[in-house]
Amino acid sequence: MTVIGFLSNVAVTGTVAGVGVGSSTEDIYEALGNECVVDRNGKSLRLDYGIVEFALYAGCCEGVTVQAHRLVHGVVIPDALKAAFSVQSDAISFSALRAEIEAGGDYSLEERGRQFGYRSYRVVNTHVILIVVDMSAGEGDLLAPGDLWSIAVSGRS
């Protein structure tokens, strides 16, 4: 699987390695291992695997974010996901990802708006949002307008 294929799959299924909203902490550890940054605050828990983060409350996943922008910095990729990232990618072209998502005709994207230098798109009839860089690149910036920033999956829109 390619990086674009992996990200497209996340966008249309709302899952990473078979886990997503509604999954337990144990499900996530089983799918991706326990080598991650754990940030706990009361009943809230964030599991940061580098390229992907899971937000949990009372042991149940409420959100998943694929931090695609981290690829330009050589982010850590969990072993369970390394096949998708066998060819190291830098910035991800939103237009290439959109073409992959919409290729089968079952899914489409709608623009939700622009804010603070980013555009957001929703995969129609889902709780998946794609955030795309929309600001001009400054000197030394590794991302440019049209590059994917992140994919966010939540239990609500």
Side-chain angles (χ1 to χ4, degrees), residues 6 9 14 16 18 25-26 33 46-47 60 70 72-73 79 86 91 107 119 130 136:
F6 167 79
N9 185 64
V16 172
T25 308
E26 294 77 22
R46 184 178 64 90
L47 303 176
C60 184
R70 292 180 180 173
V72 299
H73 301 291
D79 288 341
S86 59
Y107 299 95
R119 288 177 286 144
L130 286 77
S136 297

Side-chain angles (χ1 to χ4, degrees), residues 19-141:
V19 291
V21 172
S23 296
S24 69
T25 308
E26 294 77 22
D27 294 337
I28 296 167
Y29 283 153
E30 186 175 317
L32 296 174
N34 60 2
E35 291 189 27
C36 60
V37 173
V38 176
D39 183 15
R40 185 179 305 276
N41 183 3
K43 291 185 178 183
S44 296
L45 177 68
R46 184 178 64 90
L47 303 176
D48 186 342
Y49 285 90
I51 190 65
V52 62
E53 297 178 4
F54 295 87
L56 298 96
Y57 184 78
C60 184
C61 183
E62 293 189 334
V64 180
T65 304
V66 177
Q67 302 286 7
H69 63 95
R70 292 180 180 173
L71 288 169
V72 299
H73 301 291
V75 68
V76 172
I77 307 292
D79 288 341
L81 304 178
K82 283 193 176 166
F85 295 91
S86 59
V87 175
Q88 182 60 34
S89 181
D90 291 323
I92 303 297
S93 162
F94 170 68
S95 60
L97 178 57
R98 181 178 201 157
E100 179 81 10
I101 291 168
E102 295 179 339
D106 294 331
Y107 299 95
S108 62
L109 300 176
E110 63 182 10
E111 187 167 352
R112 290 180 45 109
R114 296 170 188 243
Q115 188 174 18
F116 307 114
Y118 297 91
R119 288 177 286 144
S120 64
Y121 295 83
R122 183 173 69 92
V123 179
V124 175
N125 297 322
T126 73
H127 298 291
V128 178
I129 303 292
L130 286 77
I131 306 296
V132 180
V133 177
D134 193 36
M135 61 190 142
S136 297
E139 188 176 327
D141 284 350

